[in-house]
PDB file of all heavy atoms in Angstrom:
ATOM      1  N   LEU U 250     -21.552 -30.343  28.141  1.00 98.00           N
ATOM      2  CA  LEU U 250     -20.197 -30.839  28.428  1.00 98.00           C
ATOM      3  C   LEU U 250     -19.217 -30.418  27.339  1.00 98.00           C
ATOM      4  O   LEU U 250     -18.044 -30.145  27.621  1.00 98.00           O
ATOM      5  CB  LEU U 250     -20.207 -32.362  28.581  1.00 98.00           C
ATOM      6  CG  LEU U 250     -20.970 -32.911  29.789  1.00 98.00           C
ATOM      7  CD1 LEU U 250     -20.858 -34.436  29.854  1.00 98.00           C
ATOM      8  CD2 LEU U 250     -20.453 -32.303  31.096  1.00 98.00           C
ATOM      9  N   MET U 251     -19.697 -30.365  26.106  1.00 98.00           N
ATOM     10  CA  MET U 251     -18.812 -29.893  25.025  1.00 98.00           C
ATOM     11  C   MET U 251     -18.372 -28.459  25.299  1.00 98.00           C
ATOM     12  O   MET U 251     -17.209 -28.102  25.116  1.00 98.00           O
ATOM     13  CB  MET U 251     -19.531 -29.968  23.671  1.00 98.00           C
ATOM     14  CG  MET U 251     -19.638 -31.372  23.103  1.00 98.00           C
ATOM     15  SD  MET U 251     -20.503 -31.350  21.502  1.00 98.00           S
ATOM     16  CE  MET U 251     -20.874 -33.088  21.304  1.00 98.00           C
ATOM     17  N   ARG U 252     -19.321 -27.668  25.743  1.00 98.00           N
ATOM     18  CA  ARG U 252     -18.969 -26.271  26.039  1.00 98.00           C
ATOM     19  C   ARG U 252     -17.972 -26.208  27.192  1.00 98.00           C
ATOM     20  O   ARG U 252     -17.014 -25.449  27.153  1.00 98.00           O
ATOM     21  CB  ARG U 252     -20.224 -25.471  26.386  1.00 98.00           C
ATOM     22  CG  ARG U 252     -21.054 -25.143  25.149  1.00 98.00           C
ATOM     23  CD  ARG U 252     -22.268 -24.340  25.563  1.00 98.00           C
ATOM     24  NE  ARG U 252     -21.864 -23.039  26.103  1.00 98.00           N
ATOM     25  CZ  ARG U 252     -21.844 -21.921  25.396  1.00 98.00           C
ATOM     26  NH1 ARG U 252     -22.199 -21.937  24.136  1.00 98.00           N
ATOM     27  NH2 ARG U 252     -21.483 -20.782  25.945  1.00 98.00           N
ATOM     28  N   GLU U 253     -18.215 -27.032  28.191  1.00 98.00           N
ATOM     29  CA  GLU U 253     -17.297 -27.048  29.331  1.00 98.00           C
ATOM     30  C   GLU U 253     -15.882 -27.431  28.877  1.00 98.00           C
ATOM     31  O   GLU U 253     -14.880 -26.902  29.361  1.00 98.00           O
ATOM     32  CB  GLU U 253     -17.815 -28.048  30.383  1.00 98.00           C
ATOM     33  CG  GLU U 253     -16.974 -28.043  31.647  1.00 98.00           C
ATOM     34  CD  GLU U 253     -17.496 -29.024  32.701  1.00 98.00           C
ATOM     35  OE1 GLU U 253     -18.651 -29.510  32.561  1.00 98.00           O
ATOM     36  OE2 GLU U 253     -16.727 -29.309  33.645  1.00 98.00           O
ATOM     37  N   ALA U 254     -15.812 -28.343  27.924  1.00 98.00           N
ATOM     38  CA  ALA U 254     -14.505 -28.824  27.460  1.00 98.00           C
ATOM     39  C   ALA U 254     -13.882 -27.899  26.421  1.00 98.00           C
ATOM     40  O   ALA U 254     -12.724 -28.070  26.063  1.00 98.00           O
ATOM     41  CB  ALA U 254     -14.659 -30.223  26.872  1.00 98.00           C
ATOM     42  N   GLY U 255     -14.651 -26.971  25.902  1.00 98.00           N
ATOM     43  CA  GLY U 255     -14.110 -26.081  24.872  1.00 98.00           C
ATOM     44  C   GLY U 255     -14.112 -26.706  23.495  1.00 98.00           C
ATOM     45  O   GLY U 255     -13.309 -26.340  22.630  1.00 98.00           O
ATOM     46  N   VAL U 256     -15.019 -27.656  23.280  1.00 98.00           N
ATOM     47  CA  VAL U 256     -15.115 -28.297  21.966  1.00 98.00           C
ATOM     48  C   VAL U 256     -15.562 -27.274  20.922  1.00 98.00           C
ATOM     49  O   VAL U 256     -16.484 -26.493  21.165  1.00 98.00           O
ATOM     50  CB  VAL U 256     -16.111 -29.486  22.031  1.00 98.00           C
ATOM     51  CG1 VAL U 256     -16.549 -29.924  20.643  1.00 98.00           C
ATOM     52  CG2 VAL U 256     -15.474 -30.649  22.784  1.00 98.00           C
ATOM     53  N   THR U 257     -14.894 -27.299  19.756  1.00 98.00           N
ATOM     54  CA  THR U 257     -15.253 -26.343  18.698  1.00 98.00           C
ATOM     55  C   THR U 257     -15.758 -27.016  17.429  1.00 98.00           C
ATOM     56  O   THR U 257     -16.363 -26.362  16.585  1.00 98.00           O
ATOM     57  CB  THR U 257     -14.038 -25.474  18.316  1.00 98.00           C
ATOM     58  OG1 THR U 257     -12.979 -26.335  17.849  1.00 98.00           O
ATOM     59  CG2 THR U 257     -13.551 -24.656  19.487  1.00 98.00           C
ATOM     60  N   LEU U 258     -15.454 -28.321  17.256  1.00 98.00           N
ATOM     61  CA  LEU U 258     -15.810 -28.989  16.002  1.00 98.00           C
ATOM     62  C   LEU U 258     -16.119 -30.460  16.288  1.00 98.00           C
ATOM     63  O   LEU U 258     -15.352 -31.128  16.991  1.00 98.00           O
ATOM     64  CB  LEU U 258     -14.615 -28.901  15.033  1.00 98.00           C
ATOM     65  CG  LEU U 258     -14.823 -29.429  13.614  1.00 98.00           C
ATOM     66  CD1 LEU U 258     -15.769 -28.505  12.833  1.00 98.00           C
ATOM     67  CD2 LEU U 258     -13.487 -29.522  12.863  1.00 98.00           C
ATOM     68  N   VAL U 259     -17.234 -30.943  15.759  1.00 98.00           N
ATOM     69  CA  VAL U 259     -17.538 -32.375  15.901  1.00 98.00           C
ATOM     70  C   VAL U 259     -17.903 -32.956  14.531  1.00 98.00           C
ATOM     71  O   VAL U 259     -18.490 -32.272  13.699  1.00 98.00           O
ATOM     72  CB  VAL U 259     -18.672 -32.647  16.921  1.00 98.00           C
ATOM     73  CG1 VAL U 259     -18.199 -32.386  18.343  1.00 98.00           C
ATOM     74  CG2 VAL U 259     -19.917 -31.822  16.613  1.00 98.00           C
ATOM     75  N   SER U 260     -17.527 -34.217  14.334  1.00 98.00           N
ATOM     76  CA  SER U 260     -17.866 -34.919  13.086  1.00 98.00           C
ATOM     77  C   SER U 260     -19.161 -35.678  13.323  1.00 98.00           C
ATOM     78  O   SER U 260     -19.237 -36.528  14.213  1.00 98.00           O
ATOM     79  CB  SER U 260     -16.763 -35.907  12.716  1.00 98.00           C
ATOM     80  OG  SER U 260     -15.530 -35.246  12.614  1.00 98.00           O
ATOM     81  N   VAL U 261     -20.151 -35.367  12.502  1.00 98.00           N
ATOM     82  CA  VAL U 261     -21.493 -35.910  12.747  1.00 98.00           C
ATOM     83  C   VAL U 261     -21.963 -36.736  11.549  1.00 98.00           C
ATOM     84  O   VAL U 261     -21.710 -36.368  10.400  1.00 98.00           O
ATOM     85  CB  VAL U 261     -22.494 -34.756  13.002  1.00 98.00           C
ATOM     86  CG1 VAL U 261     -23.904 -35.292  13.216  1.00 98.00           C
ATOM     87  CG2 VAL U 261     -22.068 -33.937  14.210  1.00 98.00           C
TER      88      VAL U 261
END
Side-chain angles (χ1 to χ4, degrees):
L250 294 182
M251 284 180 195
R252 285 181 65 97
E253 184 179 346
V256 164
T257 60
L258 185 70
V259 289
S260 304
V261 178

